[in-house]
Amino acid sequence: MKELILRTLTGITLIVLVAGSILLGPETFLAASLVFYTLSVIELHSVFHKVKSSRRWIQAIPGFLLIPLTYAALEYRLHPIWLAAPAGLWLFSILRWGINLPGILSFLWLALPYSSFLALGWLTGDYAFRSQLPLAVIALVWVNDTFAYLTGTLVGKHKMTPLLSPGKTWEGFVGGAISSLLGGWIIWRITGMLGAGTWMAISLIVVSLGFAGDLFESGIKRTLKVKDTGKLLPGHGGILDRFDSLLFVAPAVVILILLLKLLI
C-alpha cells in the first residue's frame, strides 16, 4: 500500500508538470522536452556505464538539436530540410567515432520520439499550436499504464513475458486496453477532434506499442542487470521507466495523423 501511495503521488506530480508545460504554450513545452531528453540521456548513459566511449555525449548532441529544430519548423515554418541537419550530424558522429549503443539509442530511441511528441502540438487544425492532442495522447498512455498496473496487481495471474517483464500479466494488459479504448472514446466525445475512428486507432497504438516500449526498456534493463534506469521518480524509478511507452507511441501517432491527412 505504501508503494502504491508513493507511486500515485509521484505520478500526480509528474502529470501536473508535464500537462502544465504543454498548457502554458509551445515555449514551455519545448523547454520541458529538452529537459526530459537531457535527463533521459543521463539515465541511458548511467545504465551503460560499462560501455567505454568518450564520444557518447557528443553523439547525444544531434538529438538535443533536433528538438528545437522541430519546434522551429512547426512554429516558424522553418523549411523541413533543416531537420536533416541533426540526422546528418549524428550519422557523421557514428561514422567518425564508431558505433556504440548509447549513441544510437540517444537519437533513435530518445530524440526522435521526444521530437514527435512535441510535434503533436501542431498536427491538428490549421497547424497552429494546440495543446489538446499531446495532452490527450500522453493521458491515454498514462491511463493505459495505470490501469494495466492496477488490474495486474489486483487480479493478475497469467504472466505475459516471464523472462523480460515478470510483472506483466494478461489480465493487466486487458485492463489497460479496455481503459485506453474507453479513454479514446471519451476524448473524442469531449473534444470532437480527429474523429472516433482515429481515436480508436490511437488507443490501439497506445495499447500495442506502449506495451512494446515497456518490453524494450525491460529488455535493456535485464540485459544490463539493473532494476530501474534511475531514482528520480519515487515509486516509478527513472524518467525512462515512466516514459518508455510514450517513446514508442509518439512517433507512431505522428505517422498515423500525417497519413490520414494525406489520404483524406
Side-chain angles (χ1 to χ4, degrees):
M1 181 61 70
K2 182 179 179 181
E3 175 71 15
L4 180 60
I5 293 174
L6 183 62
R7 184 182 177 92
T8 301
L9 291 176
T10 303
I12 291 172
T13 302
L14 190 60
I15 288 170
V16 170
L17 290 174
V18 174
S21 72
I22 298 172
L23 287 169
L24 286 173
E27 291 79 14
T28 52
F29 191 13
L30 168 64
S33 299
L34 289 171
V35 169
F36 285 127
Y37 171 75
T38 303
L39 292 174
S40 297
V41 169
I42 291 172
E43 287 186 359
L44 180 67
H45 287 184
S46 70
V47 297
F48 277 94
H49 65 280
K50 293 182 180 179
V51 178
K52 302 297 183 181
S53 174
S54 60
R55 306 295 183 179
R56 289 183 302 168
W57 285 102
I58 293 177
Q59 292 179 338
I61 293 174
F64 191 86
L65 296 176
L66 179 64
I67 296 172
L69 281 174
T70 299
Y71 163 81
L74 294 165
E75 179 71 5
Y76 300 111
R77 303 297 188 268
L78 185 69
H79 197 286
I81 193 64
W82 282 101
L83 297 178
L89 183 61
W90 173 74
L91 182 59
F92 170 79
S93 72
I94 293 293
L95 295 174
R96 174 65 177 81
W97 292 297
I99 295 175
N100 69 82
L101 195 52
I104 292 174
L105 292 176
S106 65
F107 194 82
L108 298 181
W109 186 42
L110 300 181
L112 286 177
Y114 280 124
S115 298
S116 297
F117 183 52
L118 179 67
L120 289 174
W122 286 266
L123 294 187
T124 57
D126 56 357
Y127 288 97
F129 179 78
R130 301 284 185 270
S131 62
Q132 292 94 330
L133 185 55
L135 279 174
V137 169
I138 198 166
L140 275 183
V141 169
W142 285 350
V143 163
N144 179 67
D145 287 350
T146 300
F147 279 90
Y149 174 78
L150 290 175
T151 307
T153 300
L154 294 174
V155 300
K157 294 181 180 179
H158 301 88
K159 305 291 185 182
M160 291 187 72
T161 57
L163 292 178
L164 278 180
S165 187
K168 293 288 184 296
T169 64
W170 283 106
E171 291 84 356
F173 180 81
V174 171
I178 292 172
S179 67
S180 297
L181 290 167
L182 179 60
W185 183 81
I186 291 172
I187 289 169
W188 169 68
R189 292 291 296 175
I190 292 175
T191 66
M193 179 175 55
L194 297 179
T198 301
W199 278 109
M200 292 301 99
I202 291 174
S203 297
L204 291 175
I205 287 174
V206 168
V207 172
S208 56
L209 291 187
F211 177 68
D214 192 12
L215 283 188
F216 180 79
E217 195 228 8
S218 294
I220 291 176
K221 291 190 294 185
R222 184 162 292 274
T223 300
L224 298 174
K225 296 180 174 58
V226 296
K227 183 178 184 296
D228 295 313
T229 59
K231 299 181 180 179
L232 185 62
L233 305 175
H236 295 269
I239 295 294
L240 292 175
D241 294 310
R242 198 65 189 92
F243 285 91
D244 53 1
S245 297
L246 181 68
L247 295 176
F248 270 47
V249 167
V253 174
V254 168
I255 292 170
L256 172 67
I257 292 175
L258 291 178
L259 285 175
L260 290 174
K261 286 180 179 294
L262 289 174
L263 295 174
I264 299 176

